[in-house]
């Protein structure tokens, strides 16, 4: 319970301080009182002085507390306070040091963040550039595929024209052969009949020429029987003379063919390598092939040759079936022709290889034949011997594969990767119909050169290659 009191007080405050050398002198508001009480001097000798203050009257509310005890200075407490102050200053200095270190770390972190941001920006830039390049390469790949498609179509058309030209060449060769035979028949008829009127012989020759021209326009499968008919019918017109010799007594080696194969050519007395007209037994077809008579005792029918890269061997099934190329250069005889040739007898295969340093090796297989087209011209191969190493037995019993007829054991099309047609397996230990690279070792995305794995490996494209067959 508070009560407002108005008190008129005269307060006497006594302040005691420690003043050295005070001598008991007191200064106050009333000097007379000091002189009247000398006993105070004895009290002030101990360092205590009294001062009397007259406080004017004030209105006070509440309690009024006054401590008249004097505080004495304690040196030990001051020393403790100073020690504590020094300790706090040391801690403060340590904190300043830590703060400086933390500040340097913060600066390093900020620098690292800036570098990280710069690296992220650079990575984003590189990613965008890479994405642009990938898109550009995809566009280039699409353009390349389009160009390849156009090139393949143009190549197909060119091969068709070349095939038609070869057909004409075959018919022309057959016509030339028949005309040569008929000219010989006419000469002998003139001698045998002792014709005095040359017009009769000319009439016979003109008739034979007309018949030959009509025969050439027909299918070439009908040419051999007609030729045989002409051979048989002409001599019978003069067989009544007793002094005439049989026509068959004329040497067979001088006839222009056709022959069964190149061994038959050799047995007929022809020892010069060149292009000859062949007609396999049981086959109503004529074909031309190069007969090699100067190597390995002769009599070899060349079925494939690579030597200068002038012919593209990346062909379709139909082209590999019928054959393509130049008979006096690079060519492929044809799977259908090979089937009929190897069907008439047991043949052996000889593969002649030459590298870019002039080294020549060979591989021979004691039997070689093909199955018909209904079995995809499957390869049947015998035992190997030779100096090149065996790189073809791995392909034994395999079907022939081209770009448009995938018959290999690989999940993809080996002809696409090897750039040719072959009896691929998974995919090849030999690829003699691949791309002809100049210089031997080549760089390519795939092993698509003309290689024989046992002779220089798959990354070495050979300089010269030839495949030849001959009856055993």
């Amino acid at each position: 319970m508070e009560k407002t009191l108005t008190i008129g007080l005269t307060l006497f405050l006594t302040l005691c301080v420690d003043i050295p050398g005070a001598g008991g002198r007191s200064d106050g508001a009333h000097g007379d009182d000091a002189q009247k009480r000398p006993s105070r001097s004895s009290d002030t000798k101990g360092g205590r002085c009294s001062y009397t203050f007259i406080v004017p009257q004030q209105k006070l509310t509440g309690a009024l507390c006054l401590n008249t005890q004097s505080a004495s200075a304690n040196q030990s407490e001051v020393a403790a306070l100073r020690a504590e102050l020094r300790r706090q200053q040391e801690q403060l200095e340590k904190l300043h040091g830590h703060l400086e270190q933390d500040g340097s770390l913060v600066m390093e972190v900020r620098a690292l963040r800036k570098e990280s941001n710069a690296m992220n920006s650079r990575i984003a830039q590189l990613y965008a550039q890479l994405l642009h390049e990938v898109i550009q390469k995809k566009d280039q790949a699409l353009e390349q595929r389009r160009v390849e498609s156009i090139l393949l179509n143009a190549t197909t058309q060119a091969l068709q024209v070349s095939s038609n030209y070869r057909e004409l060449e075959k018919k022309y060769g057959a016509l030339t052969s028949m005309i040569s035979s008929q000219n010989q028949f006419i000469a002998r008829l003139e001698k045998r009949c002792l014709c005095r009127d040359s017009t009769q012989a000319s009439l016979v020759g003109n008739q034979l020429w007309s018949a030959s021209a009509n025969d050439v326009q027909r299918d070439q499968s009908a040419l051999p029987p007609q030729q045989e008919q002409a051979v048989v019918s002409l001599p019978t017109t003069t067989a009544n003379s007793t002094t005439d010799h049989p026509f068959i007594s004329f040497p067979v080696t001088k006839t222009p063919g056709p022959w069964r194969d190149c061994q038959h050519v050799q047995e007929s007395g022809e020892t010069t390598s060149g292009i000859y007209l062949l007609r396999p037994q049981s086959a109503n077809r004529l074909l031309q092939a190069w007969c090699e008579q100067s190597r390995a005792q002769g009599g070899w029918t060349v079925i494939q040759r690579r030597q200068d890269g002038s012919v593209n061997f990346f062909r379709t099934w139909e082209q590999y079936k019928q054959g393509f190329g130049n008979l006096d250069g690079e060519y492929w005889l044809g799977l259908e022709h090979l089937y009929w040739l190897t069907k008439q007898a047991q043949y052996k295969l000889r593969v002649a290889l030459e590298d870019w340093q002039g080294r020549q090796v060979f591989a021979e297989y004691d039997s070689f034949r093909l199955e018909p087209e209904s079995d995809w011209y499957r390869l049947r191969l015998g035992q190997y011997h030779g100096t090149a190493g065996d790189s073809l037995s791995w392909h034994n019993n395999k079907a022939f594969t081209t770009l448009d007829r995938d018959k290999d054991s690989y999940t993809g099309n080996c002809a696409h990767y090897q750039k040719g047609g072959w009896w691929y397996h998974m995919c090849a230990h030999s690829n003699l119909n691949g791309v002809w690279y100049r210089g031997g070792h080549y760089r390519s995305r795939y092993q698509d050169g003309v290689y024989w794995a046992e002779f220089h490996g798959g990354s070495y494209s050979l300089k010269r290659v030839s495949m030849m067959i001959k009856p055993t």
Side-chain angles (χ1 to χ4, degrees), residues 71-82:
S72 61
N74 192 342
Q75 296 294 331
S76 62
E77 291 180 359
V78 173
L81 289 174
R82 289 178 179 177

Side-chain angles (χ1 to χ4, degrees), residues 370-396:
L370 299 185
E371 299 295 340
E373 185 180 11
S374 59
D375 197 14
W376 313 110
Y377 297 112
R378 192 173 302 274
L379 176 64
R380 303 299 186 188
L381 205 63
Q383 296 296 321
Y384 158 83
H385 69 277
T387 59
D390 185 8
S391 293
L392 192 58
S393 293
W394 195 63
H395 301 265
N396 190 23

Side-chain angles (χ1 to χ4, degrees), residues 81-350:
L81 289 174
R82 289 178 179 177
E84 182 66 22
L85 181 61
R86 285 194 299 271
R87 187 179 64 81
Q88 291 180 358
Q89 288 179 349
E90 291 177 356
Q91 291 180 355
L92 185 60
E93 290 177 356
K94 290 181 180 179
L95 289 175
H96 279 297
H98 289 303
L99 183 59
E100 291 178 355
Q101 293 180 358
D102 293 341
S104 62
L105 290 175
V106 169
M107 294 298 292
E108 291 180 359
V109 170
R110 289 178 180 175
L112 289 175
R113 285 181 179 176
K114 289 182 180 180
E115 292 181 359
S116 177
N117 293 333
M119 290 296 293
N120 290 335
S121 177
R122 179 60 177 168
I123 289 173
Q125 182 181 1
L126 291 175
Y127 179 77
Q129 183 178 358
L130 179 61
L131 184 61
H132 177 70
E133 291 180 357
V134 169
I135 294 174
Q136 186 177 4
K137 287 183 178 180
K138 286 184 178 179
D139 295 339
Q140 292 177 355
L142 292 175
E143 183 66 18
Q144 183 178 0
R145 290 178 183 175
R146 188 181 67 83
V147 173
E148 287 180 352
S149 177
I150 295 174
L151 180 60
L152 185 59
N153 293 334
T155 304
T156 303
Q157 294 177 0
L159 292 176
Q160 185 64 34
V161 173
S162 178
S163 177
N164 295 336
Y165 177 75
R166 285 196 304 272
E167 294 295 331
L168 292 176
E169 282 186 340
K170 291 178 181 179
K171 292 179 180 180
Y172 177 77
L175 177 61
T176 305
S177 175
M178 293 179 63
I179 291 173
S180 177
S181 300
Q182 290 162 2
N183 288 335
Q184 293 177 5
F185 298 153
I186 292 171
R188 279 160 184 74
L189 286 174
E190 290 178 349
K191 292 180 180 180
R192 292 173 185 266
C193 298
L194 300 176
C195 297
R196 297 180 180 179
D197 189 359
S198 60
T199 58
Q200 182 178 0
S202 299
L203 179 60
V204 174
N206 292 333
Q207 292 175 352
L208 291 175
W209 176 270
S210 178
S212 300
N214 293 332
D215 292 338
V216 171
Q217 297 299 326
R218 299 171 188 166
D219 188 82
Q220 53 179 309
S221 62
L223 287 176
Q226 291 172 358
Q227 183 177 353
E228 291 175 359
Q229 182 180 359
V231 171
V232 174
S233 60
L234 287 176
T236 57
T237 58
T238 59
N240 296 329
S241 175
T242 58
T243 59
D244 292 339
H245 298 284
F247 176 74
I248 197 172
S249 65
F250 185 76
V252 179
T253 56
K254 299 300 181 181
T255 61
W259 289 272
R260 295 189 305 273
D261 51 31
C262 291
Q263 188 182 44
H264 187 199
V265 173
Q266 186 184 40
E267 292 173 351
S268 300
E270 301 291 340
T271 59
T272 303
S273 299
I275 301 173
Y276 290 87
L277 187 65
L278 306 181
R279 177 176 176 263
Q281 292 179 349
S282 303
N284 293 325
R285 60 177 58 239
L286 289 173
L287 65 127
Q288 288 179 311
W290 183 276
C291 293
E292 183 59 52
Q293 309 291 7
S294 59
R295 299 171 62 178
Q297 290 82 41
W300 296 97
T301 304
V302 178
I303 63 175
Q304 186 258 22
R305 185 192 293 124
R306 306 296 300 278
Q307 61 185 17
D308 54 14
S310 59
V311 175
N312 180 18
F313 274 66
F314 195 24
R315 304 294 184 106
T316 62
W317 176 270
E318 188 63 26
Q319 292 162 351
Y320 267 99
K321 174 182 175 181
Q322 300 298 335
F324 54 86
N326 302 317
L327 290 172
D328 56 347
E330 293 191 339
Y331 80 97
W332 174 260
L333 185 61
L335 293 169
E336 188 68 17
H337 300 322
L338 275 176
Y339 165 70
W340 287 106
L341 278 173
T342 57
K343 186 179 180 181
Q344 62 184 352
Q346 183 176 356
Y347 282 79
K348 60 182 178 179
L349 172 68
R350 180 182 180 92

